[in-house]
Amino acid sequence: MNNSIYYRRSIRKYLDKQVPKEMIAQIIDAGRMSPSAKNRQPWRYIVLGGKNKSEFLKHMWKGILREENECALLANSKNGISDAKNTWKIMMQAPILIVILNTNGKNPFDVIDPDSRFSEICDTLSIGASIENMLLKATEMNLGTLWIANTCYAYKEITEYLETTHQLVGAIALGYADESPTQRPRKNIEDIVEYRL
């Protein structure tokens, strides 16, 4: 059994140390090998570092402030803005960001029909598998990661900056960990499983 499943942690503090491109490529390759609905492989990854990462985060910050002070597109989720700001600081510290796009996905602010919704759900599940593969591969390589969904607060600004019409799913912060957090609590297995054998 792959022990990285049990040793993986969400890392929020990173060393100021660059990750070799060859290691990043191996992590991306692990994501590429994950299963996908109808083998659609709906993922696209944009790897950002240095000035490109800083520019990306500048646009993300602009979106977070817009959500907080101006025209909120996620008005019912304003209570998550402080967490998004904290996530942004973590992203600033991590040397690498991997942005994940759904190449089949539509803008989440658009209305779509039920058939398209189910296809989107399947593609999102496929991308989730891809992300998990990357997190586990990074753990095997003694790298730290943080899966990030708070990009949603700057969806418009980020997709415009990236010049993409693909659906923004999230990002992964990647680098050498500067902390060793303990495992966060998990639900007991008997509380989450119902056997009907």
Side-chain angles (χ1 to χ4, degrees), residues 66-132:
R66 175 192 45 72
E67 280 293 316
E68 184 177 43
N69 303 311
E70 298 169 30
C71 174
L73 301 175
L74 300 172
N76 295 330
S77 299
K78 277 202 166 194
N79 61 341
I81 288 178
S82 63
D83 183 60
K85 287 180 174 180
N86 187 51
T87 300
W88 183 88
K89 290 176 187 172
I90 296 164
M91 295 166 81
M92 280 288 286
Q93 192 183 68
I96 295 294
L97 297 178
I98 303 172
V99 179
I100 301 111
L101 304 174
N102 176 355
T103 57
N104 297 330
K106 307 286 187 243
N107 185 318
F109 300 102
D110 292 346
V111 176
I112 60 175
D113 61 82
D115 295 291
S116 297
R117 177 74 66 211
F118 279 111
S119 289
E120 184 178 77
I121 289 169
C122 290
D123 285 339
T124 303
L125 289 168
S126 302
I127 290 169
S130 175
I131 291 171
E132 180 69 357

Side-chain angles (χ1 to χ4, degrees), residues 12 20 23 27 37 39 51 62 65 77 79 85 117-118 142 147 153 157 159 178 182 192:
R12 294 173 172 83
M23 293 177 79
I27 291 164
N39 198 32
K51 291 179 187 174
K62 201 158 85 174
L65 293 181
S77 299
N79 61 341
K85 287 180 174 180
R117 177 74 66 211
F118 279 111
N142 295 314
W147 170 69
Y153 288 100
E157 287 78 7
T159 52
D178 195 19
T182 57
I192 61 170

Side-chain angles (χ1 to χ4, degrees), residues 16-21 24 28 45-58 91-99 161-162 171-175:
D16 184 14
K17 181 179 176 182
Q18 290 306 306
V19 180
K21 190 175 179 182
I24 299 168
I28 298 287
Y45 317 101
I46 301 175
V47 181
L48 301 170
K51 291 179 187 174
N52 291 311
K53 186 194 81 165
S54 298
E55 192 66 21
F56 172 89
L57 289 172
K58 185 172 88 175
M91 295 166 81
M92 280 288 286
Q93 192 183 68
I96 295 294
L97 297 178
I98 303 172
V99 179
Y161 166 68
L162 295 175
I172 298 170
L174 175 68

Side-chain angles (χ1 to χ4, degrees), residues 5 8 20 24 29 41 48 54 56 72 114 138-139 141 151 153 195:
I5 292 170
R8 185 210 60 79
I24 299 168
D29 194 51
Q41 305 175 55
L48 301 170
S54 298
F56 172 89
T139 300
M141 301 171 81
T151 51
Y153 288 100
Y195 289 101

